Amino acid sequence: MSTSEYDSLRPPEPAGGRRKRQRKGRRGGGDGSREMPMVPEAEFSSYYGRPVVKPPPWESEVAAYLFLGGVAGGSGLLAAGAQLTGRTQLRRNARLTGLAAVLLSLVALVKDLGRPERFLHMLRTFKLTSPMNLGSWILSAFGAGIGVAAAAEVDRMTGERLPLGPLRPVLRAVEGSAGLEAALLAPPLAVYTAVLLSDTATPTWNAAHEDLPFVFVSSAGLAASGLAMVTTPVAEAGPARALAVFGVLGDLVATRVMERRMDPVAAEPLHHGAPGRMLRWSERLVIAGGLGTLLGGRNRGVAAVSGLALATASALTRFGVFEAGLESARHPRYTIEPQKRRLAARRAAGLADDSITTAG
């Protein structure tokens, strides 16, 4: 028998060696009316059981980056609303939260890239067709705006003790414009990571490309409003409570619509294993936090607990979707079965103008 270096990749044979062909007729006193199957029942597999799609080489820091980007975007929008309505404490807390989230997201991104200069290299070009390149520009521009606005808040908190000198009047003059500039970039910052995921060939992410941006925007609202409810007195946290309610409704509806519109096989990783547990707990915390906000949001303790529940739910949503995508890339079934279903639908519709369908 010949041997090959690829023999080690072959699936193991059933116990007892190869299945012997069964003869018709009597066996062991039988009447021949029942015959043993001549081949084992087919099981779904791919070539040597290898994944069809290569899983992204991303680790947990990318999931953290997804969450922190949502926190930053939602906080920038909330800070602008507080700025326009004269809520100084909410404005300060939201600006500082947005700056902290941006800085931490940069740390997570650089950790994933391996070297800091790789992030700077992404800013050498500007490509509207590249979600990663466009997201790097959005993150940088948002970080500049929220950084200026947060620096003004820190200067006020320290009694103008920062060594700014003649730059202090300039900072005071531009902080309002910087805060509004960050607010304009806040929605793209909150949503571009959904485009980044769904633009890949990873089955679950790609199958959710139409609705995942709405899920991530709602999740960003939950995170930002929840943290604002934790850090801000209830007298000024009215906009945060309103954003929390809209975020809860948006999250529940967008998630349901996304799962319903996805291919049922591609949606399976969202319901099983660790991703399924995270997303189930996210839904529970969203409902609990939303009820707490509606019924007891004007109580400081209830508001803080509800806000923490909403922020945690947002993190679980991002991590759950992230892990579900990685899981879907590891198993050939999540790639091939939806492809077969799409092919059958095209053939049933009489479409034969692509390379894998032929006119019957």
Side-chain angles (χ1 to χ4, degrees), residues 13 45 79-80 115 141 169 194 233 239 259 270:
E13 293 184 1
S45 183
R115 296 199 302 270
E259 293 175 356
L270 297 172

Side-chain angles (χ1 to χ4, degrees), residues 86-225:
R87 290 174 167 86
T88 56
Q89 293 187 67
L90 178 60
R91 182 198 65 202
R92 179 197 65 201
N93 294 341
R95 285 177 173 178
L96 295 178
T97 300
L99 177 61
V102 164
L103 294 177
L104 290 174
S105 66
L106 282 172
V107 171
L109 181 58
V110 168
K111 187 175 186 301
D112 174 69
L113 294 174
R115 296 199 302 270
E117 62 268 22
R118 288 178 176 172
F119 175 76
L120 299 177
H121 290 167
M122 289 192 292
L123 301 177
R124 293 183 300 176
T125 60
F126 185 81
K127 293 179 63 177
L128 290 175
T129 57
S130 171
M132 177 62 79
N133 176 259
L134 191 59
S136 300
W137 278 103
I138 292 172
L139 181 64
S140 301
F142 175 89
I146 201 69
V148 170
E153 298 291 351
V154 173
D155 189 48
R156 273 190 291 269
M157 290 171 61
T158 58
E160 298 188 348
R161 295 178 182 175
L162 293 182
L164 297 176
L167 294 179
R168 181 167 286 110
V170 177
L171 182 63
R172 291 286 184 271
V174 301
E175 71 163 300
S177 300
L180 295 178
E181 180 264 350
L184 289 176
L185 294 172
L189 178 63
V191 77
Y192 101 87
T193 48
V195 180
L196 176 65
L197 295 184
S198 57
D199 195 47
T200 68
T202 304
T204 296
W205 296 340
N206 187 267
H209 71 277
E210 293 181 338
D211 303 294
L212 190 59
F214 297 99
V215 175
F216 272 27
V217 165
S218 301
S219 172
L222 292 177
S225 61

Side-chain angles (χ1 to χ4, degrees), residues 199-282:
D199 195 47
T200 68
T202 304
T204 296
W205 296 340
N206 187 267
H209 71 277
E210 293 181 338
D211 303 294
L212 190 59
F214 297 99
V215 175
F216 272 27
V217 165
S218 301
S219 172
L222 292 177
S225 61
L227 292 173
M229 290 165 61
V230 171
T231 59
T232 306
V234 293
E236 287 202 6
R241 291 194 296 272
L243 181 60
V245 173
F246 283 114
V248 167
L249 295 176
D251 183 82
L252 294 175
V253 172
T255 301
R256 286 286 184 270
V257 171
M258 180 185 73
E259 293 175 356
R260 187 172 300 172
R261 284 156 56 100
M262 289 175 65
D263 182 276
V265 174
E268 283 184 7
L270 297 172
H271 303 285
H272 302 294
R277 287 192 294 273
M278 284 189 280
L279 292 172
R280 284 192 296 273
W281 272 107
S282 174

Side-chain angles (χ1 to χ4, degrees), residues 51 53-58 202 326 329-330:
V53 175
K54 185 177 180 180
W58 295 337
T202 304
L326 297 184
R330 296 187 186 107

Side-chain angles (χ1 to χ4, degrees), residues 290-321:
L291 290 175
T293 301
L294 277 175
L295 301 178
R298 295 184 180 278
N299 178 278
R300 187 73 180 95
V302 175
V305 172
S306 300
L308 187 60
L310 294 176
T312 305
S314 176
L316 289 173
T317 295
R318 304 287 178 126
F319 276 80
V321 170

